[in-house]
Amino acid sequence: MSGAGQMQGAAPASRCLITGATGRLGRLLRALWPAEDSPQPIWLARRGDADILWPGADAPLPDLPRCETLVALWGQTSGDAQTLVQNVDLVAQGVKLAHACGAKRVFHISTAAIYGPGRAMDESRIPAPINAYGSAKLEMERAIAALPRDGLRHVILRLANVVGSDSLAPALQHPERGITLDRFADGAGPRRSYIAPGDLARVLAGLARLAPDTLPDVLNIAAPAPVAMEDLARAAGCPIIWRAAPPEAQAEVSLDSNRLAQLLPGAMHHVTPCEMLADWHSAQGRIA
């Protein structure tokens, strides 16, 4: 397993235990985790290639190195209600892991979908999800809010679309197939908040270096400005098939990331569609 030999020498403060290592997002982060001035990542998964394997709640906890941070990257993004409710069940499993490795802070990965539609939505906005995934993550957030104050600092990270790990990813991987996008009355397509996978890795590493009592309860994770999906598609050489936007379609869904910029100034290195795509391509090359 890739990190087992390194675990022995690293201090607890310089280690992060990260679940979901073999998922689509986990693989991207593994390829792009910053090497310098960053906590050493210890990757955990239920199966496959990871530093530590743990099948889940019904299995005994594995031997864990001491880590000051747990990043609960795991979760279900699609499926029926029975599948999506697993996002709530994973909260207790994350707490168990955090206590077992001596963590001081836990980063729970939530989603911008809990807000529902809107522009420049900040962390004070009242959640109003309009799909099953957003509703399941909101229930997860409520379970986190109800946890006892037992020495762990719980931080909810509401994540924007990650380039290479969202609904646009299949088209970016196979641009020859083209992609269908909604066209709105102004002639443009949808705009969404995104973050490059390498920037997300840099954000997680940066947050893990901050003192637990300086961290907010909730934090939006996104690049400073929303991105036109058509620009991402064109940067990938992907032909666009336009259709008239239906009445329920949203021209822009975006997050306010000012709180993140104040905590970690300069963390975003890839903010244009071309830069974001290049970052994702660099991950793809390392994964392959």
Side-chain angles (χ1 to χ4, degrees):
M1 295 181 184
S2 57
Q6 296 177 328
M7 283 187 231
Q8 305 301 321
S14 64
R15 290 195 294 246
C16 288
L17 181 63
I18 307 176
T19 71
T22 56
R24 182 192 294 178
L25 183 54
R27 293 195 302 272
L28 290 174
L29 294 181
R30 291 174 75 176
L32 295 173
W33 192 266
E36 297 181 4
D37 193 30
S38 296
Q40 179 199 345
I42 308 298
W43 302 97
L44 181 145
R46 296 184 185 277
R47 63 189 68 84
D49 177 27
D51 298 323
I52 299 171
L53 297 180
W54 184 46
D58 295 333
L61 280 172
D63 290 332
L64 297 172
R66 289 194 61 81
C67 302
E68 284 213 347
T69 303
L70 172 71
V71 181
L73 197 66
W74 53 17
Q76 298 292 338
T77 60
S78 60
D80 58 19
Q82 187 174 4
T83 299
L84 289 170
V85 78
Q86 293 177 32
N87 290 301
V88 180
D89 299 336
L90 287 170
V91 172
Q93 295 182 40
V95 170
K96 181 186 290 188
L97 284 172
H99 283 304
C101 72
K104 294 182 178 179
R105 59 182 79 72
V106 182
F107 298 138
H108 301 270
I109 303 300
S110 188
T111 172
I114 70 115
Y115 289 119
R119 298 185 179 192
M121 297 178 286
D122 68 18
E123 292 87 350
S124 67
R125 184 183 177 98
I126 297 174
I130 59 173
N131 59 35
Y133 174 53
S135 296
K137 283 292 192 178
L138 180 55
E139 289 304 310
M140 181 198 80
E141 290 195 11
R142 288 171 174 159
I144 294 164
L147 290 170
R149 301 303 178 208
D150 54 5
L152 281 177
R153 184 74 177 101
H154 295 279
V155 183
I156 294 168
L157 305 181
R158 292 174 177 165
L159 187 58
N161 295 310
V162 181
V163 176
S165 185
D166 75 318
S167 62
L168 197 61
L172 299 181
Q173 290 176 317
H174 302 283
E176 70 281 356
R177 300 176 184 174
I179 186 171
T180 299
L181 293 177
D182 293 333
R183 173 172 274 159
F184 294 88
D186 62 357
R191 293 170 58 82
R192 297 291 184 263
S193 279
Y194 270 90
I195 186 170
D199 285 352
L200 176 57
R202 193 173 297 105
V203 164
L204 292 173
L207 292 174
R209 293 195 301 269
L210 299 181
D213 60 0
T214 67
L215 294 166
D217 292 335
V218 179
L219 185 63
N220 287 343
I221 307 295
V227 171
M229 295 178 75
E230 63 195 272
D231 290 345
L232 271 175
R234 289 190 176 116
C238 181
I240 299 170
I241 304 162
W242 292 107
R243 69 180 180 189
E248 68 275 11
Q250 301 293 320
E252 180 176 318
V253 179
S254 57
L255 298 179
D256 180 310
S257 59
N258 285 327
R259 182 180 289 181
L260 173 63
Q262 291 170 4
L263 282 171
L264 297 175
M268 298 296 166
H269 293 189
H270 310 91
V271 297
T272 69
C274 286
E275 290 169 347
M276 289 179 170
L277 201 65
D279 184 58
W280 172 64
H281 280 151
S282 71
Q284 290 293 100
R286 298 178 194 182
I287 292 171

